[in-house]
Structures are given as C-alpha cells and as structure tokens.
Amino acid sequence: MIRKFTKSALLLLLLALAEIATAQDGAAILEKVDANMSSDNRIFESSMTIHTKRGSRTITSKSWSEGNNKSFTEYLSPAAEKGTKMLKLEKQLWIYSPSTDRTIQLSGHMLRQSVMGSDLSYEDMMDDRKLNEIYSSEIKGQEKIGDRNTFVLLLTAKVEDAAYYTQKIWVDAERFVPLKQELYAKSGKLLKRMEMSNVIQVQGRWFPATVIYKDMLKQGDGTEFKITSIKFNQTIPPHLFTKASLKQ
Amino acid sequence: MIKFLIKGLLRDKSRSRLPIMVVAIGVTLTVFMHAYITGFMGDTIEMNARFTTGHAKVMTRAYAEDASLLPNDLALMQIEELLDSLRSLYPDMSWSPRIQFGGLIDVPDSAGETRSQGTAIGWGLELIANQDELNRLDLQKALRSGHLPRKSGDALLSNSFAGKLGIAPGDEFTLISSTMNGGMAMYNFRLSGTVHFGVEIMDRGSIIADLKDVQLALEMENAAGEITGFSNTGFYDNNQAEKLSDSFNSKFKTDDEFSPVMLSLSQQGNMGQYVQMSEVWSAYVSLIFIFAMSLVLWNAGLLGGLRRYGEVGIRLAMGESKGHVYRSMIAESVFIGIAGSVTGTAAGLGFAWLLQTYGLDISGMMQGASLMMPTIIKARITPTDFYIGFFPGVISTVIGTLLSGIGIYRRQTAKLFKELEA
Amino acid sequence: MKIALKLAWRNLTGAGLRTWLNVLVLSFSFVVIIWLKGIMTGWDHQAKTDMTQWEIGGGQYWHESYDPYDPFTLAGSHAKLPSQLENAMKAGDLTGLLLTQGAIFPEGRMMSVVIKGLDPGQSILKLPSRKLGTTASAIPAIIGNMMAKHSKLKAGDYVTLRWRNANGTFDATDVLITDIFSSNVPAVDAGQIYIPLATLQEVMLLPDEISLIVLRDKTDGWNEIPGWKYKSKAELTKQVDEMIKTKSAGQTVLYFILLLLAMLAIFDTQVLSIFRRQKEIGTYVALGYTKQQVVGLFTVEGSMHAVLAALLSAAYGLPFLAWQAKAGWTMPVDTSEFGMAIAQTLYPVYSAGLVIGTVLTVTITTAIVSYLPARKIARMNPTDALRGKLQ
C-alpha cells in the first residue's frame, strides 16, 4: 500500500518535473529559434509575391536592419515602387517616395493597413520583438513536416500588446528554424498561417528563405515572401537609420 | 358644315374667346403641374444620379458586387476602348469615367515632413478635359475659396477638411493611397480650391481631382472604377435606362468577373424603390389634378351653354331643329376643347420649360439646411405632358356641353319669343 | 347681411349642378391639401418617433472623441459611465453602448462593421436586445434587415467576427445571428452588428466602458458632463426637419396650382353671373342698393362656394381623413431600403391649425376671386343694366 502510494507520488512528482522541464525546454527552443532568426544586424534582398484576383505581382526590396528596432528598406522593383524607402525606428515608421519627394510618417490606424496589398500589415512587419519577449512557450509534442522532425510549441502572450494572443509554431528539431507558424485570436480562432520552406544555411545560421503568409479568414492565395540573399553581422553605416537617408 | 362652325366660332368672340381661355388656362395648369411633379419627385433621383449612380453606370461585375468598398483593384481596364464603343452605341448618353478611392492626405512642413494628416474619400473626375462633370456636380457653386482645377496636379478639398489640415489654396499636399495593384500610391497635389456641398459625409474629408491625375496616382492608366452615363435630356427615364442596360449587358457581359456590366440607376442600391415610389406619387397627384380639372372644365362647359342661351333661343325661333342646334353646339365644343387644349398645352409646356431651365429657388425657405437637399426645384417635361391636358380639356368640355345642351330640348317654342322680348 | 346670405344661398342652389361642381372642386382642394400636409406632418412624426425609438432615445451623450462619420475614432472613444448618471442608469433611464470597429467574414469576404455592445436588458431602444440574452454556445448577435441582405446572413447563421481589443490584440470568434430586426432607421442597421454589452466590454478588455449613452427622456440640468458631449433630440433629428422642409416647400406649389384651378372655376362662374344677371343688378340699384352693396352681394355669393365646400368637405372629408389617420397610407412600394427613416405606412397627422388655416386660406382666396369680377358692377350704368343692354 505504502509502496503503491510512493510509486504514484513519485509518478506525480515526475510528471510535475516533466511539466517544468517541457516549459523550460519550450523557452530554450524558442531561444534557439530567436538566436537563429534575429541577429545584431543583417542585410537581405527579398521578393514578395502577392496574389490578387487579377493575377499576381512581385515586389523586390533590399533591407538593412540592426537589432529589432531599426530597419531600412528600399524597394527595387517593379518600376512603380522603385526607390520607395521605408525607415523604422522604434515604434515609428516613415515612408519616402521619390516621385513625390515626400517623407511621410505613418501612425495609428494607418499602420494597420496592408503593405503593398499583401496579407501583412505595417504593424505585422514592424513588430520585430523576439518571440521569447512576447510569449511564454510550452512544448506540445513532436510532428513531422515533410521529412523534418519538429517540436510543436504553443506560445502564449505574456505581454499585453501582442497582436496575436497565442501562436503555434513548428520548429525544426535539428536546425531550430520554424517551419510552420499559426497565429490565433484570443478566442482560439486561427487567423493567419505561415509556412516556411527552402531552409538555407547562411554564415552558420539556418534560415527559411521562403515564407507563405495566408489570412485564414479571407479567401485568397496569400502572400509569398522569398529571401534571395541574406548576410548577417555586416557593418551598416549608422546614418542609414536616419530620416536624411530616405531622400538619398 | 365644320367650316361653317369654325367660322362662326372665329367671328363671334363671345362664343369662343372666354371658353377657350378657360380651357386653355385649365390645361396649362394641368400640364405645368404634371411637369412640375415629375421634376419635383425626380429631383432626389437626379441628385443621386449626379453624385453616385449616374443614370446608368458601367463597372466590372466584381466591382459592382462590392461597390461600396471602392475596390479599385477590380476596376475597368481599357476604358478608352470601352468609352469609344459606349459613345458610338449610345450617342444619346454622355459617358464620364470616374474613380472613387480612399486615402490619406498628408500636409508637409517646410522640410517636406508630415505636418498634418487626415483620412479622405476621393473622387477622380474629368474636370479639365470637359465641363460636363463640373456642371453636373455644380462645383462652381460649391467652391468656397480658390479656383476649380485648371491644370494637372490641381485638386479640391472639402472646406472644413482643408481648415483642419491647416492648408490654403496654393499649398501642396500628398495623397497616400493604394494603387490598382495594391501597391503604395503617393502623389503630390496642389490645393486649387476648397468646396462645401452641405452634406456631412462629403464635407468632412473629400478630395476631388482630375481623373488623369488620379489615374497616374493610382496606376490606373486607361482604367477607372466606373463609367457613369447621363442621358443628354438631363433627366432619368427608367424605361430607357433599363433598356439601355439590357442592351449593353447582352453585348458585353460574359462569365468573366471582370467583364463590364451596366446597371441602370434603379438597379443600384435602393434607388429602384425610390424610382418606383416617385412614379406612384406622380401618378397619384396627376390623377387628383386631372379629376379636379375635369370638374372645372365640365363646369366651364355648362357655363358656356348658358352663355349662349339667347342665341339658341333665336336659332330655335328661326326654325332650326333642336337636334341640329344640339349637335352643332357639341361639334363646336369639340373645337373649343381642342383649341383650348392646344393653346393650354403650349402655354403649360412653356411655363414648364421655364421652370425646367431656370428652376424655382426655394433656398430662402430652406435656410440653415445642411443636407444635400435640392434647393432649386425644377420641372421636367416628359412626353406625357404633350397629351395629358387633352383628356380634361376636350372630354370635360364636351361633357359639360352635352349636359347643358339637354336644356335645349326642354325649351318650348311658344315661350321663346316671350324670352326674347325681355 | 342676412338678406345677402339668403339671396346668395337661393342663387347658388338655383344654379344646381354648376354650383355643386364648383363646391366639389373647392372641397376637393380642402381635403387634398389637408391630407397631403397631414401626410408630411405624419412622416415627420414617424421619422422622429422611429429615430427616438430605435436610435437616439430622448437624447444622447457622446464620448468627446466619438465621431459617427469616422470609424477610426472609435478606438479612442470610450470611458466609464460618468458618476452623475449612475443613479439614472440604475433607474433604467439610460443605457450605454460600446462601439468598436471590426470585420465579419461571410463566405470569406471581408466586410467592415461597427460592433455595438448593447445591454440585453435595456428597454429604451426598440432593438430586440433580449435576443442577445439567449445563452448559446456562441456569442449571440443581432443585425438589421439591410445588413442581413448585404452580408447574405440569416437568423441561425454563424459568422466570423474579428476585432482588436484595447491592447491591439486580434480576437475573432464565430457569432450566432439570433435575430434579424427590421427598422426604418438605416443608422441602426447598415454596417452594424450588435452583441451583448458585457461580452464586448470583456473581450475588448474595457470593463464598464461605453462610447455613448442613450437617455430615455429629455433631461435638463445634465447637459454639462466633462468628457461627454450632449446631443439633444432636436439636434439629432435635424436632418428629418430639413428633409420635411424641402418636401413641404415643393408641395406648396402643388397647393397653389390646385387652388388656382378651383379659382378658375369660381372666376368663370362669377363672370357669367354678372353678365347674365344685369337686370337683377339694375333692379337692386333701382331698389336703393348702393353699387358697393351689390358688389358685396355678389362677393358673398361667390364666397359662399367656399363655405359650402367646407361643409361638403366635412361630410366626406372628415371620415376619409379620420380613416386615413387610423389606417394610415401604405406606400405601394417597399421602403425598407431608403436611405432615410421612412415607414411603409405613413399615418397623417392633422392639427387644428392646419385645418383652420387651410379653410381660411381657401375661403379668403375665394372671396377675393369673387370680388374681382364683381367690381365691374360698380362701373355699370344702372339704367342700361336694368334693360340688359350691357355686353
């Protein structure tokens, strides 16, 4: 009887420990993901393909970013967008268009508008905080995506101003890159899904070069985001992250 | 015989002048009233037509479904070609492409950075190429400061909106919106003037610019959200508009959701119900008037018979048969009815034309009105006006004579001379 | 005067059909004018009553930054009920609504909506708020007819509703449409969805916060509450006043033409009377009447048409008008989607002022029109008149 009791107590204890362990593991996994995905600075070129009812179009751009709060993007094509620049400092966003030679600050509800007709809003784009800063995580199990083993993490917002209350994220068990991410409303309803593919290794980091965003409430084919080249830990001249550089 | 009667009528003014005048005045009133009620009831329709629906409107099928969201990504393309075919197929309508859009107006400081901002609803209209749209929206009258757009880059803003943004005519501002492809649109305008329409929604934050500028800004070269059509008569005719849209759709509409589709005013939003209601109202009011008019002219017919009491007596005394007198009087009343109706219709149309052209300004009665309510009442001449006066004009006059003439049969020859002596 | 009236009566009845036609036309004018004006007043009443019952109550307080024309202001327009109004809230004399921007996704199409949190227990507005009290697995929601038509939703349907709470966090859930109401007031219908106030406050993380307050009755002394704008009923119904004003101004022309028509008949009758009754006129003068008295006699005779018409109007008009006021006039077209508050059936409302005013106007006009041709009498040579020699 006693033995039985000890056994079950032990089991409970173990279970509790395991619970703590998975929570810690979750945080650790997320830490690794963040380490992989964010860096002190990076320069990348990308293309974004937006599918509309009338067909699709692709926009290419080059971005420089430092930490999570500073980024500068210049659009390269198509012709109509070429030369448009975007500067993000902390919570502020400026856009410069060469055709008007104007620098415009976007704020408030304008930040909730979609970027270039994609399924992303400026706000989505601007929230560069590390996942670990916003979410506490918990391992929910393991799943296979394609031929890759993944940990399935459930992220729950620990800050008040997260755009999505919970996220489900499938992290490659070996390379620690997310392969799939689902964004949920507070009620638990699935709002957006991102599917990553084409994982490449750059300067020792694994990086998903292709992401497909999809707004799950709307009909449509979503937005495809591709990184065509990326470099980490480059020296970026500080003046790039000033409003003056927008006009250059 | 007819010739003889007409001659009699013409020569004896007392027999013809007053009766014809009365019939003419009555018919004038009827015709005028009908044109007036048609115009009055149609005013709201025309107002809607000018600002939103047109008498007919061409959009893509997909745009038409979500028109309230201003989905310019679903706009019509190759509009030049479409306009050419519209103009050649339906030359009695004038066609104007329009783009409606939403966006942000950003006013720069001296360094070219954001000083003030506000959200706006925009209209791209043909303002420079021709005067049609200027006249349609009565922009000259709405102008509060500055001038109307004259050259590319000029734009109008709502008066209070410009005040809120702190900009005056001559200043530059930037429109931020999304292009037809969903890209970011930024375009500089120069504020040429400010406008006030007296409608909350339009006066709150509107930008009106030339179509070409808006096409450039939104990357909509040779594209437009809608092509509005206006009948050259200046008035909405529901039957005609519906026939027009049927004809167009049978030619152009396909299964493709980007194929153009034409909707008549009544097929857009709730305008169909309004068109119906105004038709019913017009019919009711016209009916009331025609009824009242008939009574008046009937009475006039009776009076006409009495006027000629003496004459009839003499004719009977001279041996003319009662039937003959009666028939000739009825024949005369037909002429009087026709002559009065013709004169009255002409006069009524004349007055209606004046009211159609110049309008009746009721703004004095409407002081302080802030709604987009017509302050000028206009008549509207329709084909009906050309014949509507004849029903009361001829029929009632003849009935009046028929009734009063019965008296002829009651008169006794023996008493005639006694009457005539008096 | 008594003789004048007696003579007038005798002459009029003697003329038979002619008189009755004139009287009929005049009485017709009475009834039509009173009815049309009554319909206008009725419309005014109905529109205001409907707005009161569905939308504005006895007046409203708006949060100072609330602007019904700018949905972007909604995010910042909310506050707790001002303490001055707490007692009135407890007494049920006002109800609060919380407004926020959101979107619904019927069949994957995104439609922007204003989400209104409404107290299911409120009894100030006619909105079927008790349907929000039904407990179901999903959040109950009600929408108007027009909204239902545009979104193609029916009662019993589920639809995804998305919004962002006060912190900007996305939230979405499937709501159950528990009722579709039909209202003549588009302002409570188009682009709106109602869910229980407490639910919206909870999901928005805005406990007890509201954007606007609807009062049951007009109240004095509350006008100044810091942070809130008072909107009186008169201010909120200004649009109706203007619409009615325009319509009335336009109708005045109709009354004028109708009156002109009736006057044409009177005028014609008077001209003929004077022409045919020269001998009678001569006789009056010979009997010692002054010409002015004879003119008066004829004027009274003409004016009596209006009096008779008023009596006739009372005979058939009163029952008609009374029946209309009770049964209403149903417009033969569907008015549900007008951009204004207009009911399918309008109930005319007549005031004593309207009836008396109309009768007076018509009678005085008739008197004037009767007098005009009668002036000719004053220029007559009595001897010629007596002999009937005038043309």
Side-chain angles (χ1 to χ4, degrees):
Chain A
M1 177 69 195
I2 289 169
R3 259 181 69 191
K4 206 174 175 187
F5 173 77
T6 349
K7 210 174 166 184
S8 51
L10 206 68
L11 198 70
L12 272 171
L13 190 71
L14 272 174
L15 274 174
L17 278 174
E19 192 77 359
I20 295 164
T22 50
Q24 275 173 347
D25 279 356
I29 291 168
L30 215 51
E31 186 102 23
K32 284 182 182 163
V33 171
D34 279 336
N36 225 346
M37 303 292 287
S38 54
S39 60
D40 282 351
N41 69 56
R42 59 184 169 186
I43 302 173
F44 65 90
E45 281 184 36
S46 62
S47 71
M48 186 162 76
T49 305
I50 296 154
H51 301 281
T52 62
K53 274 192 175 173
R54 272 205 159 127
S56 52
R57 70 194 190 108
T58 301
I59 300 161
T60 63
S61 62
K62 187 171 182 182
S63 301
W64 293 259
S65 65
E66 203 174 276
N68 292 322
N69 290 326
K70 291 177 183 176
S71 82
F72 184 91
T73 302
E74 178 173 357
Y75 288 90
L76 307 173
S77 74
E81 320 288 355
K82 191 174 156 57
T84 300
K85 292 166 195 167
M86 226 180 267
L87 172 67
K88 188 211 129 187
L89 294 177
E90 303 289 336
K91 293 253 166 215
Q92 291 177 296
L93 182 73
W94 290 270
I95 292 178
Y96 172 82
S97 86
S99 63
T100 57
D101 191 27
R102 284 289 320 276
T103 304
I104 291 185
Q105 181 171 5
L106 294 189
S107 54
H109 60 83
M110 274 304 285
L111 294 175
R112 296 185 176 176
Q113 305 293 312
S114 100
V115 179
M116 303 274 175
S118 66
D119 281 335
L120 280 115
S121 71
Y122 293 103
E123 215 172 40
D124 285 343
M125 222 178 57
M126 284 172 69
D127 199 359
D128 275 354
R129 284 180 293 184
K130 286 183 182 167
L131 288 174
N132 247 343
E133 289 172 27
I134 311 174
Y135 296 101
S136 57
S137 57
E138 197 184 333
I139 299 176
K140 279 291 171 187
Q142 297 201 358
E143 267 178 37
K144 254 188 144 140
I145 290 188
D147 58 351
R148 306 295 305 176
N149 282 317
T150 62
F151 293 113
V152 186
L153 266 59
L154 178 69
L155 312 186
T156 309
K158 56 185 181 188
V159 294
E160 276 191 340
D161 61 340
Y164 303 94
Y165 186 69
T166 54
Q167 294 198 11
K168 224 172 175 181
I169 180 165
W170 283 256
V171 179
D172 189 305
E174 204 181 315
R175 298 165 173 169
F176 294 98
V177 285
L179 295 180
K180 186 166 146 188
Q181 208 169 334
E182 285 180 344
L183 311 178
Y184 292 89
K186 204 167 176 190
S187 64
K189 192 160 186 77
L190 177 59
L191 296 176
K192 282 184 184 169
R193 175 181 289 151
M194 292 182 247
E195 284 173 315
M196 293 76 163
S197 57
N198 192 12
V199 179
I200 52 166
Q201 198 172 26
V202 182
Q203 293 171 285
R205 296 158 183 270
W206 288 102
F207 212 83
T210 304
V211 184
I212 294 169
Y213 290 86
K214 169 95 180 74
D215 187 326
M216 301 306 287
L217 297 183
K218 268 195 268 186
Q219 284 175 340
D221 293 329
T223 301
E224 199 178 308
F225 189 79
K226 264 188 190 157
I227 291 185
T228 45
S229 82
I230 185 160
K231 283 178 197 152
F232 295 98
N233 303 319
Q234 302 292 304
T235 34
I236 301 171
H239 80 259
L240 193 68
F241 299 114
T242 61
K243 279 194 269 174
S245 67
L246 286 168
K247 286 199 175 193
Q248 281 160 10
Chain B
M1 170 73 181
I2 288 172
K3 233 182 187 172
F4 171 78
L5 286 176
I6 292 176
K7 228 176 224 172
L9 280 174
L10 286 176
R11 291 197 180 147
D12 181 0
K13 290 280 173 355
S14 71
R15 251 204 286 173
S16 55
R17 197 171 56 198
L18 195 68
I20 289 181
M21 251 168 63
V22 171
V23 174
I25 293 173
V27 170
T28 303
L29 289 176
T30 310
V31 171
F32 177 76
M33 182 283 314
H34 187 261
Y36 172 78
I37 188 76
T38 314
F40 177 55
M41 289 310 293
D43 255 358
T44 313
I45 294 176
E46 297 303 332
M47 189 127 244
N48 267 287
R50 286 198 292 277
F51 280 89
T52 43
T53 58
H55 291 153
K57 192 196 261 183
V58 181
M59 295 167 277
T60 64
R61 261 181 47 202
Y63 186 101
E65 260 176 40
D66 284 322
S68 61
L69 305 173
L70 315 179
N72 279 322
D73 51 327
L74 311 176
L76 290 165
M77 314 239 263
Q78 268 88 47
I79 56 162
E80 293 300 334
E81 291 80 345
L82 188 56
L83 276 168
D84 284 345
S85 24
L86 280 169
R87 283 174 184 145
S88 65
L89 280 168
Y90 311 109
D92 45 358
M93 299 277 286
S94 60
W95 300 95
S96 301
R98 288 179 175 182
I99 298 173
Q100 283 194 65
F101 56 95
L104 185 74
I105 302 295
D106 183 287
V107 181
D109 59 13
S110 53
E113 284 179 29
T114 299
R115 179 171 57 119
S116 53
Q117 270 183 356
T119 42
I121 293 287
W123 309 61
L125 309 169
E126 280 184 333
L127 297 178
I128 299 173
N130 58 62
Q131 299 284 308
D132 292 1
E133 297 275 68
L134 290 178
N135 297 336
R136 229 167 256 149
L137 302 185
D138 218 352
L139 287 178
Q140 189 64 51
K141 215 177 128 197
L143 197 68
R144 285 298 140 96
S145 67
H147 59 81
L148 294 176
R150 287 176 194 150
K151 51 183 188 295
S152 167
D154 281 356
L156 300 167
L157 288 180
S158 312
N159 197 42
S160 62
F161 188 44
K164 229 197 272 172
L165 294 171
I167 91 172
D171 293 350
E172 292 220 342
F173 63 87
T174 307
L175 164 76
I176 299 126
S177 181
S178 48
T179 67
M180 187 174 175
N181 302 316
M184 167 165 292
M186 275 171 83
Y187 196 79
N188 284 346
F189 283 103
R190 188 174 40 257
L191 183 66
S192 71
T194 62
V195 283
H196 180 87
F197 291 98
V199 199
E200 183 99 45
I201 299 161
M202 297 225 34
D203 290 332
R204 176 160 290 267
S206 294
I207 165 171
I208 301 174
D210 186 57
L211 183 77
K212 287 269 179 295
D213 279 317
V214 175
Q215 284 176 327
L216 272 176
L218 307 184
E219 288 175 35
M220 294 178 71
E221 281 85 6
N222 205 7
E226 52 198 49
I227 295 176
T228 44
F230 293 89
S231 162
N232 289 338
T233 60
F235 293 106
Y236 179 67
D237 180 333
N238 196 35
N239 283 334
Q240 206 189 343
E242 279 177 3
K243 257 186 232 150
L244 180 77
S245 67
D246 285 348
S247 140
F248 179 89
N249 294 339
S250 66
K251 286 192 182 75
F252 289 89
K253 198 172 157 186
T254 64
D255 284 338
D256 178 11
E257 62 176 334
F258 295 108
S259 67
V261 57
M262 187 187 287
L263 298 180
S264 70
L265 175 140
S266 59
Q267 288 158 345
Q268 296 175 49
N270 51 37
M271 285 312 290
Q273 295 167 0
Y274 192 86
V275 169
Q276 255 189 328
M277 176 168 107
S278 68
E279 278 172 359
V280 168
W281 256 111
S282 303
Y284 275 13
V285 174
S286 303
L287 216 69
I288 289 173
F289 267 79
I290 290 169
F291 179 65
M293 192 67 241
S294 306
L295 294 184
V296 170
L297 293 182
W298 178 1
N299 194 37
L302 290 178
L303 294 175
L306 276 178
R307 250 183 211 106
R308 300 174 62 185
Y309 190 81
E311 178 205 328
V312 170
I314 293 171
R315 281 167 70 178
L316 289 178
M318 282 164 65
E320 202 173 336
S321 80
K322 283 177 177 170
H324 188 263
V325 174
Y326 188 55
R327 280 192 300 275
S328 76
M329 282 185 71
I330 288 162
E332 279 175 22
S333 77
V334 171
F335 292 120
I336 288 170
I338 290 173
S341 298
V342 169
T343 334
T345 301
L349 287 172
F351 286 123
W353 179 83
L354 284 174
L355 194 62
Q356 174 172 315
T357 313
Y358 299 104
L360 175 70
D361 193 346
I362 55 159
S363 52
M365 302 165 80
M366 297 286 306
Q367 243 138 44
S370 69
L371 252 185
M372 184 153 47
M373 280 288 176
T375 51
I376 292 188
I377 296 181
K378 291 193 166 184
R380 184 191 162 182
I381 298 171
T382 48
T384 317
D385 296 324
F386 287 86
Y387 60 79
I388 196 162
F390 284 80
F391 294 106
V394 178
I395 298 173
S396 301
T397 311
V398 174
I399 289 177
T401 316
L402 276 173
L403 287 174
S404 70
I406 293 171
I408 294 170
Y409 291 97
R410 287 202 215 106
R411 292 173 80 171
Q412 292 166 3
T413 324
K415 282 191 186 160
L416 280 174
F417 289 97
K418 221 175 179 183
E419 279 175 21
L420 290 170
E421 261 170 29
Chain C
M1 196 62 191
K2 210 176 160 194
I3 292 182
L5 288 174
K6 217 181 234 172
L7 277 172
W9 171 250
R10 206 170 279 166
N11 276 319
L12 285 183
T13 44
L17 183 59
R18 282 175 288 130
T19 299
W20 294 116
L21 283 176
N22 283 340
V23 168
L24 197 60
V25 169
L26 269 173
S27 77
F28 207 60
S29 309
F30 278 129
V31 176
V32 167
I33 292 174
I34 293 173
W35 182 76
L36 272 177
K37 286 205 163 186
I39 286 277
M40 280 294 129
T41 319
W43 184 4
D44 187 37
H45 278 229
Q46 169 264 319
K48 285 180 182 165
T49 311
D50 280 353
M51 278 178 80
T52 304
Q53 289 177 344
W54 286 94
E55 186 192 359
I56 59 175
Q60 294 182 329
Y61 280 102
W62 291 3
H63 184 268
E64 57 184 349
S65 48
Y66 169 63
D67 177 350
Y69 293 98
D70 186 356
F72 295 124
T73 62
L74 292 180
S77 344
H78 46 76
K80 293 210 166 32
L81 185 75
S83 53
Q84 296 96 310
L85 299 182
E86 266 162 20
N87 284 333
M89 173 69 105
K90 272 184 209 126
D93 287 337
L94 52 85
T95 189
L97 278 89
L98 176 64
L99 275 56
T100 190
Q101 235 196 316
I104 57 169
F105 295 84
E107 290 160 19
R109 267 169 71 232
M110 185 169 112
M111 282 177 77
S112 288
V113 292
V114 170
I115 308 172
K116 290 187 166 177
L118 178 68
D119 177 7
Q122 67 83 27
S123 60
I124 294 173
L125 299 175
K126 239 175 149 180
L127 294 162
S129 50
R130 70 205 132 62
K131 294 281 186 175
L132 296 174
T134 42
T135 41
S137 49
I139 295 175
I142 54 173
I143 54 175
N145 251 340
M146 213 188 285
M147 180 69 181
K149 204 173 145 194
H150 288 188
S151 60
K152 301 189 179 85
L153 288 168
K154 307 181 296 295
D157 281 355
Y158 285 88
V159 68
T160 305
L161 176 66
R162 192 187 72 188
W163 66 93
R164 304 183 75 160
N165 70 20
N167 292 325
T169 304
F170 277 110
D171 208 346
T173 187
D174 287 344
V175 297
L176 171 66
I177 305 294
T178 52
D179 195 30
I180 289 170
F181 59 85
S182 84
S183 158
N184 298 317
V185 187
V188 299
D189 182 340
Q192 292 167 64
I193 185 164
Y194 294 82
I195 65 171
L197 176 64
T199 310
L200 186 62
Q201 286 170 334
E202 187 191 323
V203 298
M204 285 296 292
L205 309 179
L206 294 171
D208 302 329
E209 304 248 323
I210 45 182
S211 311
L212 60 88
I213 300 163
V214 183
L215 308 175
R216 187 182 294 278
D217 291 305
K218 185 186 166 298
T219 41
D220 300 314
W222 289 355
N223 298 9
E224 288 300 319
I225 296 178
W228 295 83
K229 291 179 283 193
Y230 178 66
K231 297 278 171 185
S232 70
K233 206 164 138 180
E235 198 179 338
L236 294 168
T237 55
K238 207 172 140 232
Q239 292 203 344
V240 177
D241 288 334
E242 279 161 15
M243 180 178 67
I244 300 287
K245 242 192 200 167
T246 324
K247 295 284 166 203
S248 304
Q251 284 198 347
T252 308
V253 176
L254 286 186
Y255 308 146
F256 182 72
I257 300 178
L258 197 57
L259 217 56
L260 220 59
L261 209 64
M263 290 312 131
L264 178 69
I266 300 288
F267 191 84
D268 196 14
T269 309
Q270 287 289 94
V271 169
L272 187 78
S273 294
I274 290 155
F275 171 75
R276 292 233 321 150
R277 287 153 63 187
Q278 289 173 29
K279 280 186 204 169
E280 188 185 330
I281 293 166
T283 314
Y284 286 135
V285 177
L287 282 170
Y289 275 81
T290 66
K291 280 180 181 170
Q292 288 316 314
Q293 279 173 321
V294 181
V295 170
L297 217 63
F298 274 78
T299 308
V300 167
E301 192 183 311
S303 310
M304 198 175 255
H305 281 113
V307 177
L308 290 177
L311 293 174
L312 182 64
S313 303
Y316 77 91
L318 278 183
F320 169 76
L321 293 173
W323 167 72
Q324 275 286 299
K326 204 166 157 241
W329 178 65
T330 303
M331 257 179 282
V333 291
D334 180 15
T335 57
S336 63
E337 271 203 41
F338 276 11
M340 50 190 158
I342 181 169
Q344 182 81 52
T345 303
L346 294 176
Y347 296 88
V349 173
Y350 325 103
S351 61
L354 166 66
V355 175
I356 294 167
T358 311
V359 171
L360 274 181
T361 314
V362 176
T363 311
I364 291 170
T365 320
T366 312
I368 294 170
V369 169
S370 308
Y371 168 72
L372 291 177
R375 279 180 317 173
K376 203 179 164 192
I377 295 168
R379 292 195 298 272
M380 282 180 177
N381 179 337
T383 35
D384 285 349
L386 200 52
R387 280 153 76 208
K389 286 278 166 66
L390 291 170
Q391 273 302 315

